Amino acid sequence: PAIGANQIFSLSQHWYTAGSGVGLQTIECGWQVYPGLYGDGRPHLFTYWTADGYNSTGCYNLTCSAFVQTSSTFAPGMAVGPISVSGGAQYSMELAYWLTGGRWWLYYNGTSGSNAIGYYPVSLYQGGPLASKATEIDYGGETVGTTSFPPMGSGAFANQGWQRAAYQRTIGYWPPTGGAMINASLTPSQGWPSCYTADVVMYAAPWYETLWYGGPGGT
């Protein structure tokens, strides 16, 4: 989505969370269009974390020493592409976090060992709830502006569907006790339906739980 004057960023992400209030802990990933951070209008792979409700901890990507990059090919903050075209070719990327051995590993475009690009050590969470598991995962978009808010997703509302609206598909999680991925059962939330909407649909394989979301933004 294009970021205009008096607008800051638009993103699509997963929020893995535990705790609440000043004790909220998160680990996040997705794509983000943020000219003020990246110096261009392209979407970038991003990560973020906080251990205290965004008060004194947390940073994007590699801007602090929290994320440990292990890949020599992919890194948080990199531009991603090619980009989907409205009414034309559609492209997606696969993202997942997996907690094992005291590390929250981030996987990009697959979940085999070779797709792990780095990790957040659980020591960042100082013995808090996210050091052992997430209790909730949220999926969707977020925008920030001043006098106006930018488009979310592709800029199309959720009901525009395939080749128009942005989506996240095959949404699920691995239980802390281990085992196969469990399909999500999401409840849509859309606080500003005149600007952005969200629809959740459970499809057959391979899409399964799917979120359609987005909109043009506004004032």
Side-chain angles (χ1 to χ4, degrees), residues 1 15 23 54-55 79 83-84 89 97 103 105 121 127 135 138 175 199-200:
W15 293 263
Y54 303 99
N55 282 288
I83 307 304
S84 300
Y97 274 115
R103 298 172 176 179
W105 285 93
T135 56
D138 301 325
D199 293 329
V200 174

Side-chain angles (χ1 to χ4, degrees), residues 16-19 25-27 97-104 120-136 174-178:
Y16 295 67
T17 73
Q25 299 188 330
T26 78
I27 186 169
Y97 274 115
W98 173 260
L99 174 60
T100 184
R103 298 172 176 179
W104 280 100
Y120 285 108
V122 297
S123 58
L124 293 172
Y125 299 104
Q126 302 172 2
L130 208 60
S132 58
K133 65 180 179 180
T135 56
E136 179 175 314
W174 290 291
T177 53

